[in-house]
Amino acid sequence: MVLDEKEMNLYESCRHSSPYEVLHTVTGGNVRGLDLLALRRVLAKNKQPSEIVNVLLIYFYKTFANQVYDRNALLKVFDFWKKNNVDTFKQAVDMTARDIHTILSDRKA
């Protein structure tokens, strides 16, 4: 999957923001308690640069913004990325080509 220019610009513009700023952006300012809980759980386990978490947030909320989702879903995708050695911004952007529903439905992920 090739990212369109608008999507790549979003990744680039959020590259140096805090994860909380990106969460605010990708939810259109409608940050709910569930969103904050999911982000805090990722940040508690995170040893990655914030730019990777930011790409993860954009990727996740592109599908789940303003929807009810399992509170473990964001952490599951984050763990999948860690297991697949996503350590750079480019690797994170490349992982966005994967179908998020496939990652979430895989019990081993």
Side-chain angles (χ1 to χ4, degrees):
M1 178 174 117
V2 176
L3 298 175
D4 64 25
E5 186 176 338
K6 181 180 176 185
E7 193 169 1
M8 195 60 210
N9 287 339
L10 178 60
Y11 287 124
E12 284 293 337
S13 68
C14 290
R15 189 172 185 170
H16 302 290
S17 301
S18 79
Y20 289 101
E21 292 170 324
V22 173
L23 181 62
H24 189 269
T25 299
V26 297
T27 60
N30 186 26
V31 180
R32 301 165 300 164
L34 174 63
D35 303 322
L36 289 172
L37 176 66
L39 178 57
R40 284 187 198 122
R41 293 183 74 206
V42 166
L43 294 176
K45 290 183 74 173
N46 183 35
K47 303 290 185 247
Q48 304 286 37
S50 62
E51 64 186 16
I52 293 172
V53 175
N54 292 347
V55 172
L56 173 71
L57 290 170
I58 295 167
Y59 171 64
F60 185 82
Y61 283 98
K62 186 171 65 172
T63 301
F64 294 106
N66 301 316
Q67 292 184 26
V68 176
Y69 54 87
D70 183 310
R71 65 187 175 102
N72 297 313
L74 182 64
L75 189 60
K76 186 171 184 177
V77 176
F78 176 77
D79 287 342
F80 179 83
W81 283 21
K82 277 180 46 178
K83 187 169 61 176
N84 284 278
N85 301 314
V86 175
D87 296 317
T88 67
F89 177 78
K90 182 181 179 341
Q91 289 171 326
V93 171
D94 290 346
M95 285 297 277
T96 65
R98 295 189 71 119
D99 178 14
I100 196 167
H101 296 289
T102 301
I103 295 169
L104 293 173
S105 66
D106 183 2
R107 292 206 181 275
K108 297 178 200 166

